Amino acid sequence: MRKLLLFILVNCAFISTISAQKPDKLSSNQIYEKVQKLNFLGSALYIAAHPDDENTRLIAYLSNNVKARTAYLSLTRGDGGQNLIGPEIREQLGVIRTQELLAARRVDGGQQLFTRANDFGYSKHPDETLDIWNKDEVLSDVVWAIRKFKPDVIINRFDHRTPGRTHGHHTTSAMLSMEAFDLAGDKTKYTSQLGTYDAWQPTRLFFNTSWWFYGSREKFEKADKSKMLNFDIGVYYPLKGLSNNELASIASSQHLCQGFGRLTSRGTQQEYVEFLKGDFPKDKSNIFSGIDTSWSRVKGGKAIGNILYAIEKDFDFVNPASHLPQLMKAYGMIQNLEDDHWKTIKLAEIENIIQACAGLYLEASATASSGTPRANVAVNIEALNRSNATIKLISMTSTSDQKTTPQNLNLAANKRENLSLEANLATDTYSAPYWLFEKGTLGMYNVADQQLRGLPETPRPAMVKFNLEIEGKSITITKPVVYRYSKPDKGELYQPFEILPEVTANFKDKVIIFSNDKTKEIPVTVKAGKDNVDGYVSIKHPYSWKVYPAKQKVNIQQKGDEVTLMFTVVPPSTQSEGVLTPEVYIGDKKYTQALNEIEYDHIPKQSVLLPSETKVVRLNIQKGGQYIGYIQGAGDAIPESLRQIGYHVEIIDPSTISGESLEKYDAVVVGIRAYNTVDELKFKQKYILDYVKNGGNVIVQYNTNRRIKVERDELAPFSLQLSRDRVTDENAKVEVIAKDHSIVNFPNKIEAKDFDGWVQERGLYFPNSWANEFTPILSMHDKGETAKKGSLLIAKYGKGNYIYTGLSFFRELPAGVPGAYKLFTNMISVGKEQVITKKELKN
């Protein structure tokens, strides 16, 4: 029974992703648009590799103009990218980008799907990508998505014929789509899937081409377009008051952590798709040409269409409730369809329309934001009929424990009914992101449950089924349990209701660096997920490390409260690395997870459970300089990392930079992409260069070569040309080519072994041309490429030193890579061999 319930919940989530945002309150225009979509039985699947790869113009056009059921299959969740709005990277960044994709789909009208592929970072070729991804597993996920979604049309974002021209993930997404197009319809392939979904053969496959893939607009003008379809995606929607391109721009702007906030655009615009496989359409302006997208497509559908087409033709915008008798009749007929696929889809759509036409407001709001497994939760119910329709609430069923509460309540017009129920959270599973439940690999997430694979989110853990009669006919409408509350400065707010552990434990820092053999006091914060938590905490540690005391009692009376316990950690005398894990014992249960809460205004609050651990590193490291100024860029944790090894780091407000304000620092470090994101730097760059000229030490970390805020000849004191050169293999051989330079000798000797253990990449956006005043320090390259010498450049300028580096310190320092710490310390220490630091002079 539990598996059947999960299957139903999973499929409901697939059809209409539950976002725990404020409930939809549809206008007559919006209801009418949903009726139009109800009357279109055709599906399109758009396939690419990452969040932001999708063409929101085309997705919006298919969903809102064609009225097709449209989904975007992103092979990854974008875990390997950068974050422009906060410190989250890797798994937590993937959670943010997942939610941004869902936000984009709520705007453009699409649905969102995924595979288990993990975005491990930039890849230069599909061969490299498939060396890290498990090809068969990702391909099986693409086949699963096709069999589940049953698209008539598939559209690839990228060209499968041009490996090496773009990101390896991009080309791989198209290559796998080409294979899956044939495999999905083959009953001898991936047979374990066929117990749930039948084999499905899409009608045709396209490549969403454009002038960009041809190198220029002129080349595209001359290209053979005999196999291309094109259509104007700049159409205007009077019911929305927006053009398709405006809608698409708003959707793209949801990708805030990637800096995709953009201006809206309007006007005619041609979109092209190139035919690749299947049946070539007769009408080159219609992607569904020759495919029956009417109700006649399904057995018994013609009679349903007769009812629903009439409603669409004569829709009553003033009184949508007038259509309820016919809608309820069609609802009953859809329930009797033999085609389970379209029956499930269209039942969900018409239920939404019936609810909206009746002005029926149904809400289930828990009295707390979370509960623990097997606990009871109180749920406040609001039921309101805002029409003159005859509506009766027969009963309510809690899906978490299958308990039904009889009501037999007539919902009088515009009379609010406030009810309540108590639900038992009869599960041992948490509601955090399901793809993080088990440890995966560099290239793949581990998701054992086939029914969960591809879902954008974990199905909501608690739902309420409202069992109703509308105009004398039975209907059930299901709502997720949410948490509704208010803040004086923000008003009414909604967030997801979660099932979380009884207790979680977090370290303050994910990496703790010991630069000598002195002990450190390490705080462990324990948070209660329920009232009256009583137990003890110990820390699991490597053999060569010591932790005191062995255990400490913990007693927390109130849910949501926290206590912080201090443990003394004794490092070994020699260089060493290891992991500390807090273990919280409550009764006979052990808890080892950390709760990470992600809160941004543009996405729902996210509760992410990850293994609670911190990496400890004993380094033999020396430092020159002490007082560091840090100009933040696109968000990184380097200031915290530098403080770990004893630097005093002060965050510099760019607006305060002047000729005098920088003098107090031993070094000034500029954060990643600062010259791409910080407008003030175009006015302050002269002071930064003057600081170098007068004896300062400036370290500039990577920037992209587009949208630089300063003039390109002002980024550095001498000519420096940024490029897209990068070394993506984190194990690529590194050669020190300036062996005698102090930057690789003082105060720490840098050797090849210091580049062991780097994560995700060596570096990115290296300069590829520079003035003779710069000295290149390192040489490295990916397999089959020429040497890249621009990863670390240094130039003497006046009395000081200007350093530019594309090395990915923003990943390596938070990951606790010893060699990265030694090299960064050397960069700070340049010129300090015989100089007493300014702070020491003050003292």
Side-chain angles (χ1 to χ4, degrees):
M1 181 65 185
R2 183 180 177 277
K3 286 189 175 180
L4 176 61
L5 175 61
L6 175 62
F7 176 75
I8 293 170
L9 288 176
V10 165
N11 278 279
C12 288
F14 184 80
I15 292 163
S16 180
T17 302
I18 297 160
S19 62
Q21 297 286 289
K22 288 185 177 181
D24 287 336
K25 300 170 185 176
L26 303 180
S27 68
S28 292
N29 286 0
Q30 292 169 314
I31 299 171
Y32 176 69
E33 289 179 306
K34 288 189 179 296
V35 172
Q36 290 179 308
K37 287 183 72 72
L38 181 65
N39 284 333
F40 191 95
L41 280 71
S43 303
L45 181 62
Y46 198 89
I47 298 180
H50 309 107
D52 84 6
D53 283 348
E54 78 273 26
N55 182 347
T56 55
R57 298 185 306 275
L58 186 50
I59 291 174
Y61 176 83
L62 292 172
S63 180
N64 295 279
N65 186 266
V66 179
K67 307 301 179 184
R69 177 171 164 265
T70 308
Y72 172 42
L73 173 59
S74 176
L75 266 58
T76 76
R77 295 176 186 267
D79 327 67
Q82 287 90 51
N83 184 359
L84 298 185
I85 61 173
E88 298 88 358
I89 57 174
R90 290 305 310 152
E91 295 93 346
Q92 293 187 63
L93 177 59
V95 172
I96 292 174
R97 291 190 171 182
T98 294
Q99 290 300 319
E100 289 183 339
L101 276 171
L102 289 172
R105 298 295 80 79
R106 287 192 288 272
V107 174
D108 62 31
Q111 299 176 35
Q112 186 60 52
L113 313 174
F114 293 96
T115 75
R116 289 169 290 162
N118 191 345
D119 179 5
F120 56 82
Y122 192 84
S123 168
K124 293 181 177 178
H125 197 278
D127 290 347
E128 179 190 6
T129 298
L130 293 173
D131 280 344
I132 297 174
W133 288 353
N134 183 316
K135 178 186 175 181
D136 187 65
E137 289 187 356
V138 181
L139 182 57
S140 77
D141 286 354
V142 179
V143 170
W144 171 257
I146 293 171
R147 288 173 171 175
K148 187 175 186 179
F149 191 72
K150 291 182 167 47
D152 301 296
V153 173
I154 295 177
I155 305 169
N156 292 343
R157 180 57 171 144
F158 299 104
D159 191 349
H160 66 285
R161 298 160 295 195
T162 55
R165 181 182 173 185
T166 182
H167 197 319
H169 296 180
H170 292 170
T171 311
T172 300
S173 72
M175 292 166 61
L176 294 179
S177 176
M178 288 287 289
E179 287 191 57
F181 181 85
D182 297 320
L183 294 174
D186 187 341
K187 293 182 179 180
T188 68
K189 305 298 183 183
Y190 301 110
T191 55
S192 63
Q193 298 178 2
L194 298 176
T196 307
Y197 297 107
D198 295 332
W200 176 257
Q201 182 57 59
T203 302
R204 54 187 66 118
L205 174 66
F206 296 98
F207 160 46
N208 186 193
T209 190
S210 70
W211 69 264
W212 188 88
F213 292 96
Y214 284 76
S216 70
R217 296 183 187 275
E218 292 74 18
K219 290 180 180 178
F220 187 60
E221 290 276 340
K222 299 174 183 177
D224 178 9
K225 297 184 177 63
S226 60
K227 290 188 176 182
M228 294 186 194
L229 279 66
N230 70 291
F231 23 83
D232 183 1
I233 49 88
V235 294
Y236 176 65
Y237 303 124
L239 291 172
K240 299 179 184 294
L242 293 169
S243 70
N244 189 76
N245 284 344
E246 287 176 296
L247 202 64
S249 296
I250 296 168
S252 292
S253 291
Q254 304 307 306
H255 295 297
L256 295 182
C257 75
Q258 300 186 72
F260 264 52
R262 58 184 58 182
L263 293 172
T264 57
S265 62
R266 287 150 292 279
T268 185
Q269 183 175 351
Q270 292 295 310
E271 192 74 42
Y272 291 84
V273 293
E274 178 188 352
F275 175 78
L276 298 177
K277 274 187 180 183
D279 296 334
F280 190 84
K282 293 180 181 179
D283 181 356
K284 292 178 66 175
S285 66
N286 179 6
I287 208 166
F288 286 93
S289 175
I291 300 170
D292 187 357
T293 58
S294 73
W295 275 103
S296 296
R297 176 175 191 158
V298 295
K299 183 180 178 181
K302 189 174 186 300
I304 298 170
N306 290 337
I307 297 170
L308 296 177
Y309 293 137
I311 293 175
E312 180 180 346
K313 181 175 181 294
D314 299 314
F315 188 76
D316 189 339
F317 288 86
V318 176
N319 182 24
S322 66
H323 299 297
L324 284 172
Q326 291 299 95
L327 285 167
M328 291 303 300
K329 182 179 179 180
Y331 175 78
M333 296 168 70
I334 293 172
Q335 286 180 309
N336 293 323
L337 286 176
E338 295 179 12
D339 187 321
D340 287 336
H341 173 70
W342 284 112
K343 178 171 71 173
T344 304
I345 293 165
K346 294 305 175 181
L347 279 177
E349 291 180 1
I350 199 169
E351 284 170 8
N352 193 19
I353 291 169
I354 289 168
Q355 182 183 343
C357 284
L360 182 60
Y361 187 85
L362 301 170
E363 181 178 278
S365 176
T367 55
S369 62
S370 66
T372 55
R374 306 291 168 181
N376 291 329
V377 59
V379 180
N380 293 324
I381 303 294
E382 182 178 342
L384 177 62
N385 169 19
R386 290 174 288 188
S387 72
N388 291 320
T390 302
I391 302 178
K392 187 174 183 178
L393 178 59
I394 304 300
S395 63
M396 298 181 296
T397 302
S398 163
T399 62
S400 59
D401 58 8
Q402 295 301 304
K403 180 181 177 182
T404 297
T405 305
Q407 295 295 325
N408 293 312
L409 178 65
N410 290 316
L411 299 180
N414 213 30
K415 181 185 176 184
R416 184 178 63 190
E417 300 290 348
N418 291 320
L419 309 168
S420 63
L421 60 81
E422 186 172 79
N424 183 266
L425 304 176
T427 180
D428 294 315
T429 303
Y430 304 126
S431 57
Y434 70 86
W435 61 94
L436 301 178
F437 285 172
E438 303 291 338
K439 186 175 180 61
T441 65
L442 175 63
M444 297 295 296
Y445 281 117
N446 183 11
V447 181
D449 190 337
Q450 178 70 58
Q451 302 301 330
L452 289 173
R453 292 177 187 175
L455 292 181
E457 299 179 281
T458 306
R460 287 291 94 208
M463 316 271 280
V464 174
K465 292 182 177 179
F466 293 88
N467 307 304
L468 303 146
E469 284 184 0
I470 298 179
E471 298 296 340
K473 297 185 184 298
S474 297
I475 184 172
T476 296
I477 295 174
T478 304
K479 295 288 183 179
V481 176
V482 297
Y483 178 57
R484 180 169 68 109
Y485 64 107
S486 66
K487 286 186 176 181
D489 58 337
K490 292 188 177 181
E492 184 178 63
L493 298 170
Y494 285 78
Q495 70 182 55
F497 174 80
E498 307 285 17
I499 298 181
L500 300 172
E502 293 181 346
V503 65
T504 53
N506 279 40
F507 285 110
K508 178 176 178 287
D509 299 302
K510 298 307 177 187
V511 173
I512 302 173
I513 306 297
F514 292 76
S515 56
N516 52 45
D517 59 4
K518 292 183 179 178
T519 64
K520 284 191 178 185
E521 297 292 307
I522 307 300
V524 177
T525 300
V526 181
K527 184 173 184 176
K530 67 172 188 175
D531 292 339
N532 302 316
V533 167
D534 187 62
Y536 68 90
V537 183
S538 63
I539 294 184
K540 185 178 179 181
H541 56 85
Y543 176 77
S544 58
W545 297 68
K546 293 183 173 62
V547 177
Y548 299 104
K551 63 181 181 180
Q552 296 190 53
K553 279 189 63 63
V554 61
N555 183 276
I556 307 175
Q557 299 298 313
Q558 191 170 355
K559 174 184 175 179
D561 202 2
E562 299 177 340
V563 297
T564 298
L565 306 174
M566 303 301 295
F567 288 84
T568 300
V569 177
V570 184
S573 58
T574 58
Q575 188 158 312
S576 174
E577 298 179 45
V579 173
L580 304 182
T581 301
E583 299 178 329
V584 185
Y585 293 86
I586 307 296
D588 60 353
K589 292 184 178 180
K590 179 175 73 173
Y591 297 88
T592 60
Q593 289 180 300
L595 174 61
N596 303 274
E597 296 180 325
I598 300 173
E599 291 193 70
Y600 292 100
D601 288 341
H602 67 302
I603 60 174
K605 180 180 177 181
Q606 299 297 298
S607 298
V608 182
L609 293 173
L610 292 169
S612 183
E613 58 185 30
T614 187
K615 182 178 180 180
V616 286
V617 181
R618 167 68 172 95
L619 276 179
N620 292 316
I621 192 170
Q622 303 297 320
K623 307 193 308 292
Q626 180 65 29
Y627 197 37
I628 311 300
Y630 200 93
I631 302 172
Q632 290 184 306
D636 61 61
I638 286 181
E640 291 79 5
S641 299
L642 295 178
R643 292 182 183 115
Q644 287 270 359
I645 55 174
Y647 281 112
H648 178 90
V649 183
E650 182 177 282
I651 302 301
I652 298 174
D653 179 352
S655 66
T656 66
I657 294 175
S658 67
E660 296 75 31
S661 67
L662 303 180
E663 291 180 357
K664 58 185 176 182
Y665 301 115
D666 293 310
V668 171
V669 180
V670 183
I672 60 172
R673 296 183 67 175
Y675 288 101
N676 297 129
T677 60
V678 182
D679 288 330
E680 290 92 338
L681 288 181
K682 61 186 169 187
F683 308 113
K684 304 297 183 177
Q685 180 68 354
K686 58 183 178 181
Y687 300 119
I688 295 173
L689 295 181
D690 283 346
Y691 165 75
V692 180
K693 191 174 184 178
N694 294 329
N697 190 4
V698 164
I699 301 165
V700 177
Q701 297 176 83
Y702 96 92
N703 292 269
T704 64
N705 56 2
R706 293 182 297 171
R707 293 192 285 271
I708 294 282
K709 300 293 184 181
V710 298
E711 295 296 328
R712 294 184 185 275
D713 60 356
E714 295 177 356
L715 177 64
F718 310 107
S719 176
L720 183 72
Q721 301 298 317
L722 303 185
S723 74
R724 298 184 66 84
D725 285 355
R726 60 202 301 160
V727 176
T728 61
D729 182 359
E730 63 268 40
N731 298 310
K733 181 181 178 182
V734 178
E735 181 185 357
V736 178
I737 56 176
K739 292 182 172 23
D740 296 330
H741 200 286
S742 67
I743 203 169
V744 290
N745 289 285
F746 176 83
N748 306 286
K749 180 72 173 177
I750 302 300
E751 301 172 295
K753 66 180 181 181
D754 290 306
F755 294 93
D756 293 344
W758 282 51
V759 299
Q760 187 160 323
E761 61 199 351
R762 290 298 190 196
L764 62 171
Y765 294 102
F766 299 163
N768 63 355
S769 174
W770 51 85
N772 291 332
E773 286 84 353
F774 281 104
T775 299
I777 304 299
L778 306 171
S779 176
M780 60 189 73
H781 62 88
D782 281 321
K783 182 179 178 180
E785 295 190 352
T786 58
K788 304 291 186 290
K789 299 181 179 181
S791 65
L792 179 57
L793 303 170
I794 182 169
K796 189 75 177 175
Y797 178 56
K799 300 177 182 178
N801 295 279
Y802 178 96
I803 300 170
Y804 189 94
T805 180
L807 294 171
S808 60
F809 288 106
F810 72 101
R811 296 194 190 281
E812 313 313 324
L813 298 192
V817 178
Y821 273 91
K822 290 170 64 178
L823 182 53
F824 207 97
T825 298
N826 280 18
M827 293 193 301
I828 291 173
S829 304
V830 166
K832 305 292 191 298
E833 294 92 332
Q834 304 296 327
V835 179
I836 300 174
T837 68
K838 294 177 173 62
K839 187 166 184 182
E840 290 171 336
L841 283 170
K842 289 179 182 177
N843 294 336

